[in-house]
């Protein structure tokens, strides 16, 4: 049947939250503190997703990948959030992949490729950016295969409930 990518619906939120939590726990083991990974909560993440999805003014779009009837991954995309670094407004002339996660059982199946390509197709901007943890080498290789390479900008990410700053890299794709 193949991988189907479509818009996320409220009925998907619990499954997406479960994918999100499990992907973090596996992909970020040894990068993000263990206590942060252990504290990730599917019901809380589900409620957060439902709130975000219900916002009619949101400029961010969520897509899910289905393997049969099962949600195997998701991606969120929209305008670049420059305010994350400098307090400025959104930069709609630049696109951003805000999040892309695939359940570890589906790594290497083409799910991530399908999600990333769908998000890139949906973003009209000639420049697309994303942030990745500097030590997440698997993800950085994946992004590079799709033309997203570190552009020299670095920052740190502090997980909620942690006092640890984790280095991250901005990756950029310039098209046409």
């Amino acid at each position: 049947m193949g991988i189907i990518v479509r818009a996320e619906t409220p009925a998907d939120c619990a499954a997406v939250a479960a994918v999100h939590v499990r992907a973090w726990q596996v992909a970020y083991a040894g990068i993000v503190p263990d206590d942060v990974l252990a504290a990730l909560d599917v019901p809380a993440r589900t409620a957060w997703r439902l709130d975000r999805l219900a916002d009619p003014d949101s400029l961010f779009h969520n897509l899910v990948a289905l393997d049969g009837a099962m949600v195997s991954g998701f991606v969120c995309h929209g305008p670049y959030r420059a305010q994350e670094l400098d307090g400025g407004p959104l930069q709609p002339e630049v696109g951003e992949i805000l999040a892309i996660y695939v359940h570890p059982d589906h790594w290497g199946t083409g799910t991530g490729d399908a999600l990333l390509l769908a998000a890139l197709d949906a973003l009209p901007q000639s420049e697309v950016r994303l942030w990745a943890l500097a030590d997440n080498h698997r993800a950085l290789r994946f992004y590079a295969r799709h033309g997203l390479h570190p552009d020299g900008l670095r920052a740190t990410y502090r997980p909620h409930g942690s006092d640890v700053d984790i280095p991250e890299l901005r990756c950029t794709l310039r098209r046409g």
Side-chain angles (χ1 to χ4, degrees):
M1 178 179 197
I3 300 162
I4 306 277
V5 176
R6 63 159 172 76
E8 182 180 359
T9 68
D12 299 320
C13 288
V16 170
V19 166
H20 197 171
V21 166
R22 189 65 187 137
W24 262 62
Q25 290 172 333
V26 174
Y28 296 158
I31 301 172
V32 171
D34 291 343
D35 60 326
V36 171
L37 296 176
L40 294 173
D41 182 68
V42 172
R45 176 66 44 185
T46 300
W48 181 87
R49 293 199 71 80
L50 285 165
D51 286 346
R52 298 285 183 186
L53 208 56
D55 180 358
D57 298 323
S58 179
L59 299 173
F60 303 104
H61 305 282
N62 298 289
L63 303 172
V64 295
L66 301 175
D67 182 0
M70 181 181 145
V71 172
S72 56
F74 73 96
V75 63
C76 179
H77 62 85
Y80 184 65
R81 302 167 298 155
Q83 76 277 11
E84 292 281 319
L85 296 177
D86 63 14
L90 292 173
Q91 293 181 350
E93 69 277 8
V94 177
E96 182 176 2
I97 306 294
L98 286 77
I100 180 169
Y101 292 99
V102 173
H103 192 284
D105 291 348
H106 293 267
W107 289 355
T109 65
T111 300
D113 297 308
L115 285 165
L116 187 59
L117 291 172
L120 290 173
D121 285 348
L123 289 167
Q125 297 90 341
S126 62
E127 184 172 329
V128 176
R129 298 174 182 160
L130 62 79
W131 287 92
L133 299 182
D135 288 335
N136 190 352
H137 304 293
R138 178 187 186 97
L140 290 167
R141 286 190 306 270
F142 169 76
Y143 300 138
R145 283 198 323 268
H146 291 280
L148 287 143
H149 299 280
D151 63 11
L153 193 57
R154 301 177 70 89
T156 56
Y157 169 70
R158 179 172 286 186
H160 180 72
S162 171
D163 61 356
V164 176
D165 289 329
I166 301 169
E168 58 183 357
L169 307 173
R170 188 176 73 182
C171 297
T172 298
L173 167 66
R174 290 179 178 87
R175 310 187 268 195

